[in-house]
Amino acid sequence: MQYLGIEYQMKHAPKLDPTFIPFGVWREAYLKEAKQPIAIAVERDKGRVSVHKTFIHGTPEMAEADYRYVERYVKFLLWSTGGFRVTICGCTELAQRLQKAYTAEGERKFDAMFFHQVYEHELEVIDLPLDQCPESNEIAQPMGGNMDGCRIGFDAGGSDRKVSAVIDGECVYSEEVLWFPKLNEDPNYQYNEILTAFRTAASKMPRVDAIGVSSAGVFIGNAPMVSSIFYKVPRSQWDFVKTVFDRAAAEIDPKIPILVANDGDVSALAGAIGLGKGNLMGLAMGTSEAVGYVDKDQNVLGWINELAFAPVDLQEGAMQDEWSTDFGVGCKYFSQDAVIKLAPWAGIEIPQDLSLAHKLKFVQGLMEEDDERAIAVFETIGAYLAYTTVLYSQFYDLDYMMLLGRVMSGKGGDTILRVCNEILADEYPQLAAKCKVTLPDEKMRRVGQSVAAASLPKI
């Protein structure tokens, strides 16, 4: 197989999508003959800088392959760690092309807008010589796994909010309440609901020593910078939104610590606590792809991990994500959209009057009947996952990948898992031996989201 002059091998092409070009596999092949050193530095909040040293070919005939490689590399870094300043060190031509891409008129205009919102700083691309590359400054702020004392754990979901009172790691009270944060433009609604939950949990304990929060969104510190639970709140009121969790905690006790983390990370933390192991990625396939990660010490590290919008497929005709406008990003391969996309390719006609969730259920219903067409759909997603596990392992230290979400339910999920592990064992035996791709067992499920959230802050 060849793409942009690079020969790569893929023994098990996805059954319904044989033109799939896995970024991680192609990247390995691209680097075999790349000899010109460059470095990519990505700066995010608090002066943290991630530096990645790599190579390009640097010849005129490989110019398009070089740009594709570096452009996709930068895109992956931005959506995994986050950042607002990208420095390309060692290749002016690539830096200048990326500078044009990340403008209000460029091909990456959505990304430029998004990260401006997150960091309140214009996203910029800088060109520097290789010997002037910024130094790495990975200031880790580990959080999670703390079980001592009287703690509140809060999980801010899109349709329900959960809160737990936890004493020395044991949940003494938990409740789940319907709420409607996505429908409310006034952020006082969310604030009052959050405060009510905090007060309810506090009333079940002799004192409160710490508060941990799990919530959808991207956070700088405890501040939601982009969050679906404030979907209708205008940006003009975002100063109020950014302090919503801190202010609610201060109403309980202004001296107690509070930490807020992305719900994907807290899901991974819950799995790691239940399993007693780290280097774990949680990957949930639902409405979209949701990813979280904890390191070897079972700590959440504060990366944004929005891999739904990171590239996985390089084919030019890949499905476009309507929100980010990019092609070949994770949310179209690991979500209900992937099932709906693949169904007609397998010869399945889904009634068009169904909602997206019910279209997924329609295909899953066929799968439960061992319909060969449905089997092909889930086998294809399993192949996507195997080759994308190769990619993710190039950026994350993975010992476990825990698969979650409604797409993973029933026989379809079993098929995805089987095919993924079969391909890894055949083509990437070393990775298969190191990284266990699995569904959560009862041991891993025993720690709820809100209980894991309670463990975020140190006392």
Side-chain angles (χ1 to χ4, degrees):
M1 298 176 179
Q2 186 186 88
Y3 177 63
L4 296 179
I6 303 297
E7 294 283 349
Y8 67 96
Q9 299 297 320
M10 180 175 55
K11 291 170 60 177
H12 303 278
K15 184 173 291 187
L16 298 176
D17 192 2
T19 59
F20 175 69
I21 304 174
F23 180 29
V25 175
W26 184 85
R27 179 175 181 264
E28 287 185 343
Y30 169 90
L31 288 172
K32 287 179 180 177
E33 300 298 327
K35 305 299 182 186
Q36 180 179 322
I38 68 166
I40 304 168
V42 181
E43 182 178 347
R44 53 194 191 276
D45 57 304
K46 300 180 181 177
R48 291 178 288 185
V49 181
S50 177
V51 177
H52 293 256
K53 296 179 180 178
T54 187
F55 298 89
I56 58 172
H57 289 249
T59 60
E61 61 270 21
M62 296 302 290
E64 287 308 307
D66 286 346
Y67 179 70
R68 186 66 163 161
Y69 170 63
V70 174
E71 190 274 326
R72 294 287 84 181
Y73 199 152
V74 168
K75 171 95 175 185
F76 195 99
L77 292 177
L78 284 171
W79 288 95
S80 57
T81 64
F84 61 83
R85 181 177 291 118
V86 177
T87 306
I88 306 297
C89 309
C91 186
T92 294
E93 292 82 2
L94 289 175
Q96 289 177 343
R97 286 189 69 174
L98 286 168
Q99 285 170 345
K100 293 178 181 178
Y102 283 94
T103 64
E105 296 78 31
E107 61 182 330
R108 299 277 70 82
K109 59 186 177 182
F110 173 87
D111 308 71
M113 176 275 296
F114 180 88
F115 289 103
H116 180 209
Q117 281 190 348
V118 170
Y119 296 101
E120 298 181 326
H121 189 293
E122 294 286 347
L123 194 151
E124 56 183 333
V125 179
I126 296 172
D127 172 29
L128 284 179
L130 186 60
D131 60 3
Q132 294 181 27
C133 182
E135 293 185 4
S136 176
N137 186 31
E138 291 284 8
I139 306 171
Q141 289 185 304
M143 60 181 88
N146 305 293
M147 296 295 181
D148 56 318
C150 298
R151 298 169 171 271
I152 295 173
F154 180 66
D155 177 22
S159 57
D160 50 56
R161 55 172 176 83
K162 307 178 188 72
V163 71
S164 296
V166 181
I167 300 178
D168 293 330
E170 294 296 324
C171 181
V172 299
Y173 176 81
S174 184
E175 72 171 17
E176 186 172 328
V177 177
L178 286 174
W179 71 331
F180 306 95
K182 295 181 180 181
L183 303 179
N184 280 273
E185 299 178 8
D186 182 357
N188 280 299
Y189 170 82
Q190 289 88 341
Y191 172 77
N192 289 328
E193 291 284 319
I194 293 165
L195 180 57
T196 298
F198 286 1
R199 284 174 170 164
T200 300
S203 71
K204 309 299 179 181
M205 298 184 291
R207 65 184 189 279
V208 177
D209 297 317
I211 299 175
V213 175
S214 165
S215 178
V218 178
F219 298 86
I220 301 300
N222 291 338
M225 305 306 294
V226 177
S227 176
S228 60
I229 68 168
F230 298 99
Y231 177 73
K232 286 205 169 182
V233 177
R235 294 303 292 188
S236 60
Q237 297 194 53
W238 219 255
D239 285 343
F240 185 92
V241 169
K242 287 190 292 185
T243 60
V244 66
F245 293 112
D246 287 337
R247 285 184 291 107
E251 286 291 322
I252 304 301
D253 185 337
K255 299 185 294 296
I256 59 175
I258 176 173
L259 275 176
V260 182
N262 174 268
D263 54 357
D265 281 342
V266 179
S267 289
L269 177 61
I273 292 172
L275 190 63
K277 304 286 185 180
N279 285 344
L280 184 147
M281 175 179 283
L283 193 161
M285 304 185 201
T287 304
S288 183
E289 176 191 11
V291 173
Y293 176 76
V294 295
D295 70 1
K296 60 182 177 60
D297 299 315
Q298 300 180 41
N299 288 320
V300 174
L301 296 180
W303 294 6
I304 68 169
N305 294 321
E306 292 288 348
L307 299 189
F309 310 105
V312 301
D313 180 8
L314 299 181
Q315 65 171 313
E316 306 295 341
M319 191 175 186
Q320 185 180 30
D321 171 44
E322 302 85 353
W323 186 61
S324 68
T325 72
D326 204 353
F327 297 83
V329 296
C331 61
K332 294 301 180 184
Y333 297 77
F334 309 111
S335 70
Q336 64 187 16
D337 282 359
V339 176
I340 296 166
K341 171 187 78 172
L342 293 170
W345 299 358
I348 298 172
E349 294 185 15
I350 304 176
Q352 292 306 301
D353 58 343
L354 297 178
S355 68
L356 294 178
H358 282 91
K359 287 180 179 180
L360 169 63
K361 288 183 178 181
F362 181 86
V363 181
Q364 287 177 322
L366 295 175
M367 185 67 196
E368 293 303 310
E369 298 170 0
D370 297 319
D371 186 294
E372 291 295 329
R373 300 168 301 168
I375 291 172
V377 168
F378 290 99
E379 286 181 340
T380 297
I381 296 173
Y384 286 157
L385 182 62
Y387 293 114
T388 301
T389 301
V390 175
L391 173 66
Y392 290 172
S393 71
Q394 295 168 0
F395 293 87
Y396 295 82
D397 189 0
L398 296 179
D399 291 338
Y400 296 90
M401 179 179 286
M402 182 176 65
L403 303 178
L404 306 159
R406 65 176 71 96
V407 175
M408 289 303 302
S409 62
K411 290 184 178 180
D414 293 339
T415 300
I416 291 170
L417 181 63
R418 173 184 58 79
V419 171
C420 174
N421 281 323
E422 286 176 352
I423 292 174
L424 289 177
D426 183 40
E427 290 192 64
Y428 295 89
Q430 288 185 322
L431 178 58
K434 181 182 185 300
C435 177
K436 183 179 181 182
V437 183
T438 183
L439 297 171
D441 58 21
E442 287 307 313
K443 185 178 180 182
M444 297 171 76
R445 289 189 182 103
R446 72 184 182 193
V447 180
Q449 188 93 348
S450 58
V451 176
S455 79
L456 289 171
K458 286 186 177 181
I459 296 174

